[in-house]
Amino acid sequence: MGDSMYSSMRLISIGGSFALSGLFYHLYTKKLGELQKLKEIPRIELNEDLIKTLDSSHQKCLQYVALEGIVKPDGESLASQFVPRCFGVIQRIIIQDCLNFETHTLQMHWQTSTNKLPFSLVPVSGYDPGISVHVDSPLSASVLSLEPVYCYIRKAKMAFTDYFVLELNGQKPWWLEEKEEMLKVGSTLTGFGELILDSNRMLRLRPPQDGQKYLLIISDYRSYLQHQESSVTVWKVLTGVFGLLGVALLLLNIYRRCRRRRGNSIGKRHTIEETDVSDRKAANLPVCRRSKRRHFNTVPTPGAAEDYHHQSP
């Protein structure tokens, strides 16, 4: 029972190591493909040459580019509800409450409100202050990273009538979490999308029309690229570690099995010899025991040869 359990655990460990290695390899190849596609995306600098390039193109459009700039509101900005002197162009407030039932189960409720104002991206260096790119439909982006500026967890407080109703339903208010996330003014934003020059000769970054992902990342382009490369390296290292661990466990298991089989064969041989000896004793037959062979010197010494000649008639 114990040996079978240990062997099952070893097999599970070996299989789990190889399974995790395969999973991490799949994630590694996926991330590596995304990184290669990311490096193939052309990076555009905000300057006067950009307007000339778009003006000379047939459709006045660059289908999918990477653009880096500083967030600047087109008009007024949003003020944080919890942090003083904190302004942004996108504000998201998340209120999450947790109810504790009498059956010891939890239920979560989320309330999310999002506010946004029109904003643009200006050059990071500030060399061309008149150049800016308006960002269209930021809330429809596949990835919209916002910076958390406030998070507070407290015990839920409510009116007596609401508390009484919850008690009748077997629910007890437990805790309440308030979070605020913002895209702050002056943040460095990297956008991946379609760049166009409209009829008013205004640069606009909008969701791609060919179905590619519309990304708005709070980071500069180089840092975002390094982060993706680090992620690829992590999955690669995990793939190698769990693969080597699975190979080591497999070799150890094979070694233990070979050693156990050899011990069993030696034990069976001794058992057969002891059985043969006991059967011969029971039958009153001479017992032949194995002994180490002794090598005798068959060449007679000179004195022994003379004695032999003297004794012979």
Side-chain angles (χ1 to χ4, degrees):
M1 184 71 180
D3 294 339
S4 62
M5 183 181 66
Y6 287 133
S7 61
S8 300
M9 291 177 62
R10 286 196 296 268
L11 292 177
I12 291 173
S13 300
I14 295 171
S17 299
F18 284 119
L20 288 176
S21 179
L23 175 62
F24 293 145
Y25 179 75
H26 171 71
L27 296 175
Y28 162 70
T29 55
K30 182 180 178 181
K31 283 291 184 181
L32 183 61
E34 293 178 357
L35 179 61
Q36 292 175 353
K37 290 181 180 180
L38 186 64
K39 291 182 177 180
E40 294 175 358
I41 299 172
R43 182 185 177 187
I44 303 299
E45 296 289 342
L46 284 177
N47 48 35
E48 294 180 355
D49 295 336
L50 178 59
I51 299 179
K52 294 179 182 179
T53 302
L54 288 171
D55 201 8
S56 61
S57 62
H58 178 65
Q59 298 179 349
K60 296 184 179 182
C61 170
L62 297 176
Q63 290 187 353
Y64 200 64
V65 297
L67 188 66
E68 178 185 342
I70 302 296
V71 176
K72 179 181 178 182
D74 293 343
E76 297 181 354
S77 58
L78 296 170
S80 172
Q81 296 186 6
F82 305 98
V83 181
R85 295 183 298 278
C86 182
F87 302 96
V89 292
I90 298 178
Q91 180 187 52
R92 178 181 296 165
I93 299 176
I94 303 173
I95 299 177
Q96 175 183 351
D97 58 344
C98 177
L99 299 178
N100 185 14
F101 289 81
E102 292 181 353
T103 56
H104 302 287
T105 58
L106 300 178
Q107 183 178 359
M108 305 289 185
H109 297 280
W110 286 272
Q111 296 178 2
T112 304
S113 61
T114 304
N115 302 317
K116 73 177 185 68
L117 291 176
F119 67 96
S120 302
L121 298 178
V122 298
V124 177
S125 59
Y127 178 73
D128 296 320
I131 302 297
S132 63
V133 177
H134 181 76
V135 180
D136 293 344
S137 306
L139 298 182
S140 64
S142 302
V143 177
L144 174 61
S145 60
L146 300 178
E147 181 181 353
V149 296
Y150 178 81
C151 182
Y152 182 69
I153 300 175
R154 59 182 174 83
K155 189 175 180 180
K157 295 181 181 180
M158 59 183 63
F160 178 77
T161 55
D162 296 336
Y163 186 84
F164 184 72
V165 171
L166 290 176
E167 285 287 343
L168 290 178
N169 294 330
Q171 303 174 359
K172 296 180 181 180
W174 195 5
W175 50 265
L176 185 70
E177 181 180 5
E178 298 175 339
K179 291 194 299 183
E180 184 181 18
E181 300 174 345
M182 296 186 70
L183 178 58
K184 296 194 296 185
V185 175
S187 301
T188 302
L189 184 72
T190 301
F192 296 86
E194 186 176 275
L195 186 64
I196 63 171
L197 183 65
D198 62 5
S199 57
N200 297 326
R201 300 187 61 81
M202 178 181 293
L203 295 172
R204 291 182 176 274
L205 183 68
R206 67 181 185 182
Q209 303 299 316
D210 55 358
Q212 298 191 64
K213 291 184 178 181
Y214 185 36
L215 309 177
L216 298 175
I217 310 296
I218 301 181
S219 173
D220 59 276
Y221 177 80
R222 188 177 300 275
S223 299
Y224 179 67
L225 195 63
Q226 291 177 354
H227 176 73
Q228 296 300 317
E229 291 175 349
S230 300
S231 178
V232 170
T233 304
V234 168
W235 294 124
K236 183 179 180 180
V237 170
L238 289 176
T239 300
V241 168
F242 280 91
L244 292 176
L245 179 61
V247 171
L249 291 176
L250 180 61
L251 293 177
L252 180 62
N253 190 31
I254 293 174
Y255 170 74
R256 287 181 175 177
R257 283 183 178 274
C258 293
R259 188 175 180 181
R260 181 178 298 178
R261 185 173 297 178
R262 182 180 178 184
N264 291 336
S265 63
I266 295 174
K268 287 181 180 180
R269 188 176 64 186
H270 287 306
T271 303
I272 292 173
E273 291 179 355
E274 291 176 358
T275 304
D276 185 35
V277 170
S278 61
D279 292 341
R280 287 178 175 274
K281 286 183 178 180
N284 294 323
L285 296 175
V287 179
C288 297
R289 297 183 179 274
R290 293 185 179 182
S291 60
K292 296 182 180 179
R293 293 183 179 180
R294 297 180 181 178
H295 300 277
F296 296 96
N297 189 4
T298 56
V299 179
T301 59
E306 293 177 358
D307 295 339
Y308 175 75
H309 288 296
H310 284 298
Q311 292 176 4
S312 61

